[in-house]
Amino acid sequence: MNSSSIFRVIRQFRNIRNEINIHEFHSITASRNCLQIQTNCSPSYILPNFNRNTVSIVIRNYAKGKDRKKEKGVGKVVINENEMAQLVNVDSLKKQMESPISLMKESFIKNLSLRSSAGSIESLVVTLDGEEHMLQELAQISRKNPKTVILNMATFPQAIPEVLKSIQNSGLNLNPQQEGTTVFLPIPKVTKEHRENLSKNAKQLFIKCRDSIKDVQNKTIKSLKRKDGVSEDLVRNIENQMKALGDKYISEAEKILESKQKELLGD
């Protein structure tokens, strides 16, 4: 059977497939007098009037889109913690993957508020002489009125440059104004641009979280491959389960991100 005959066979098969609603089949076999179509779920179908030497054509599954969706879950990795425990400390692994999500959620609360609360400002991290401090440890924080926060830096005036840098990099959309050892923080109006900037900051925090989970995943997988006297099939199976576990936590973090972005953007 030459190539033009093959294509003609396939075209004719597709026409019949549409009429009889065949979604899966194994092969098409052309013999001297007919064409036989072998399916997965029904008897063979015959197309007559083919006078060629016998030849088999194995063709991919032409399942319709809706059938592909149904088959999407086929081959999904099942996470078996008992099996994983043979080579991995599962509790420790889960805690390591949960930790970045907890940090991301904490950062969302502290740093991504539509209204820059005093709590968010107090918990800003300031690096001074190589050590990290919360802003409330270095300054007396008060409110002059609902629209202005005041930082009294008289106790640690040497920290003012680092405090200003921390505030500007906080993502809180604050524009500090210094007068001597006092720093004034006008609370900005909530604008569309401010909302979009906060949403971008949320995405960056999610990426950091995702990468941390992948780092835990990859580090543990590398340790698996260094184990001696262990079946390669077992290692491969547990490696796939670990990847699925990491994807599960990343998916959880992504849902938290989506929820936060809707809140920030007002969707």
Side-chain angles (χ1 to χ4, degrees), residues 30-159:
S31 63
R32 292 186 61 185
N33 300 316
C34 68
L35 180 79
Q36 181 174 348
I37 304 167
Q38 182 65 48
T39 73
N40 288 340
C41 54
S42 57
S44 300
Y45 292 88
I46 306 298
L47 283 178
N49 302 323
F50 282 92
N51 187 16
R52 300 288 176 184
N53 293 328
T54 300
V55 61
S56 293
I57 312 162
V58 178
I59 303 177
R60 61 173 293 182
N61 187 338
Y62 288 97
K64 291 183 177 179
K66 63 180 181 181
D67 299 301
R68 290 197 186 103
K69 289 180 182 177
K70 291 179 182 177
E71 296 169 0
K72 192 174 181 180
V74 175
K76 183 179 179 181
V77 176
V78 177
I79 299 172
N80 185 334
E81 293 187 10
N82 291 330
E83 185 176 35
M84 291 176 65
Q86 296 179 55
L87 300 180
V88 178
N89 185 330
V90 178
D91 289 339
S92 175
L93 179 63
K94 290 168 70 174
K95 286 179 182 178
Q96 291 179 67
M97 289 184 172
E98 288 167 357
S99 179
I101 297 178
S102 297
L103 289 174
M104 183 187 75
K105 290 166 70 174
E106 186 178 340
S107 295
F108 281 0
I109 294 170
K110 288 183 177 179
N111 302 324
L112 298 178
S113 172
L114 289 174
R115 293 288 182 184
S116 301
S117 66
S120 298
I121 295 169
E122 288 173 358
S123 61
L124 286 178
V125 176
V126 179
T127 303
L128 183 63
D129 298 329
E131 295 184 0
E132 292 186 345
H133 303 269
M134 285 191 178
L135 181 56
Q136 63 185 353
E137 298 172 7
L138 304 173
Q140 293 180 349
I141 303 173
S142 60
R143 280 185 179 269
K144 181 178 180 181
N145 53 55
K147 295 184 178 180
T148 307
V149 173
I150 300 174
L151 309 180
N152 184 342
M153 300 294 305
T155 306
F156 295 98
Q158 71 275 20

